[in-house]
Amino acid sequence: MNQRFLWIEAVNFDATIYDTNDLSVIRAGSLILGDLGDVAQGALETLAQAREGLGFDLEFAGASQARFRLTGDGDDCDAALAAVQAALSRGVWAHMSIVAGLGDTPEQAIAGALSRRFRTWTMPAWQERPSDTFDALDKVRPATKKDGLKGLLSESTSARLNQGRRRRETFLTERAGERLTQAGLRDRDDGDPGALKLCASFEDMVLGRGGKTCTSPESALGKICLLHLDGDGFGKAARAAEKAGRLREFSDRLETTMEAGLARIIDAAVDSEALEAPEGARRLRLEILVWGGDDITLALPATRLLPTLTAFHAAIDGLEFDGAPLGFTGGAIIANYKSPVRKLVALAETAVHTLKAGDARGCFTVDVFESADVPESDLAGLRANIFGEEARAPGAFAFRLSEASALIDSLRKWKGGAGDAFPSRSKTFDLLARDGGAADDETIDTLLLDYHERLGGAMQEGGRFLPPGPMGRSRMLELKLGMMLWDYVGPDLPGDAVEAAA
């Protein structure tokens, strides 16, 4: 009996997931791809009933990928490939971009699949008849379907939109149902002022609040955060587990940890909403754009970033497999809620790749953009223009993921002690402007000590205002980072709300 490997992978996400800014369409693409392994396995099970010589084992599924070990003759393996391709081209799958390949080794199977990527269209070909109107959401495909809320849509966008609507609540309740039920989650507005409702759009996520407890600056309330987290050490651990015959054990461990991480993130979102939003305006201000394997992409209000990172780190802290540590590296992009999500995702992924290439794994960076027209790339150059050449070094610009909680504490202490133990915001900007913005650490520290002595403050010489990150940073860069994050540490909550948040 021959043994071959079948590799299946989803590709071209810009054309199949992030081609619109609609939450339901994005959600559908992500959740559909989460079923890739199950759909392929179902197709193989059906085929194996008709072909007794075909055997198969699922070796890995996750992160929009799946690998099967096949046994059988050449015709059996070819039929398995054809069956999987057919199953992943029907219904809503026809609007996704999937490649598959066979090989005598896993590497050959991957190469065979990816070679198909460059011999097919980036955007799956549409079958709609010509139309004088283009899709209201993607602005590209011909519009032939009418949606009561969105207007005229293409077949692709309409199918994904409906799928996203159907699955928007089940994905969350299957993983954190008890907590969300306790919080009063409702998929639709049923008139209950105490209900926790899902967000229908990025605008709803960031602007559909406001009340007595939420006093964050308006500039922050209009911003979303696109957070991308990518695993560190998972590939190496998976290869070691495979070699030891424990790949399924590793996959199960990863799934359990990720489920715990998601539960913590949802808890943080529910807790923040209970503190910030008045009754009648409560939303689950969290969107899971990608959740597969060790690949995570979230959208959330900009002021929720640091609490979310803190919650996620609590779930994955100490994660290891056979003594090998596992972790995550993150990139956060804060921008106007109207910014194209495709650009935000690309920038966040660039931030993560920059950290990993710069030996700063296990860390995260935050980049803030004021305009809705965010750049396409070159984060290093943008950082250097704003923060100085030092910011090109990922280790200087980053914070450790384990420092997320300490960063919140540091920023709150700075804001609470501004003008006393810490420089006020206006004084900080004054210091940053000294010597044309080129003052060295010694000069700035001398000015800070003099400033606090005159105020009777208690600043200690050499004392730092923010966690040091993986390689430390100059005082100038520290002050600039503090000013960038000043409005995004979270809402200023009065009295009992602050105590509850602590």
Side-chain angles (χ1 to χ4, degrees), residues 367-384:
D367 292 273
V368 179
F369 298 96
E370 298 303 326
S371 171
D373 186 19
V374 298
E376 290 281 357
S377 58
D378 192 23
L379 274 179
L382 290 167
R383 291 169 180 171

Side-chain angles (χ1 to χ4, degrees), residues 168-405:
R168 67 185 313 198
E169 187 173 359
T170 57
F171 174 79
L172 295 170
T173 54
E174 285 172 0
R175 292 158 176 80
E178 184 177 350
R179 179 65 202 276
L180 292 174
T181 299
Q182 292 172 352
L185 180 68
R186 301 284 193 280
D187 187 15
R188 300 180 183 277
D189 190 349
D190 59 2
D192 181 359
L196 178 70
K197 304 175 184 66
L198 292 168
C199 293
S201 65
F202 288 128
E203 181 177 12
D204 191 24
M205 179 183 291
V206 299
L207 298 182
R209 58 176 165 166
K212 296 180 180 179
T213 61
C214 188
T215 58
S216 288
E218 287 295 324
S219 60
L221 294 181
K223 301 283 182 58
I224 62 168
C225 175
L226 196 294
L227 173 62
H228 178 62
L229 293 158
D230 190 59
D232 297 322
F234 287 85
K236 182 178 180 180
R239 290 189 293 273
E242 180 179 16
K243 189 175 181 180
R246 301 171 60 196
L247 186 58
R248 179 55 66 89
E249 178 187 344
F250 170 76
S251 180
D252 291 344
R253 175 89 61 85
L254 173 60
E255 182 178 0
T256 299
T257 299
M258 296 297 285
E259 294 290 313
L262 180 60
R264 291 282 191 125
I265 288 172
I266 290 174
D267 281 347
V270 172
D271 291 342
S272 294
E273 195 68 9
L275 292 171
E276 296 176 29
E279 191 169 309
R282 294 172 60 226
R283 302 281 190 276
L284 184 66
R285 301 179 201 279
L286 172 71
E287 196 62 38
I288 315 294
L289 303 185
V290 174
W291 193 275
D294 62 345
D295 188 17
I296 304 169
T297 305
L298 310 175
L300 62 159
T303 56
R304 302 272 180 89
L305 167 63
L306 295 180
T308 298
L309 287 173
T310 299
F312 181 70
H313 178 261
I316 58 98
D317 188 25
L319 179 63
E320 54 83 26
F321 188 79
D322 273 1
L326 304 173
F328 283 82
T329 297
I333 305 298
I334 292 175
N336 186 281
Y337 69 91
K338 295 181 180 179
S339 301
V341 70
R342 173 186 61 80
K343 288 187 176 183
L344 302 184
V345 170
L347 283 170
E349 291 177 345
T350 297
V352 171
H353 295 156
T354 300
L355 284 169
K356 292 193 173 189
D359 294 326
R361 293 172 180 263
C363 298
F364 70 94
T365 56
V366 184
D367 292 273
V368 179
F369 298 96
E370 298 303 326
S371 171
D373 186 19
V374 298
E376 290 281 357
S377 58
D378 192 23
L379 274 179
L382 290 167
R383 291 169 180 171
N385 289 337
I386 298 172
F387 298 94
E389 285 298 316
E390 181 188 2
R392 287 186 184 274
F397 196 75
F399 298 93
R400 297 183 183 89
L401 191 60
S402 59
E403 293 174 339
S405 178

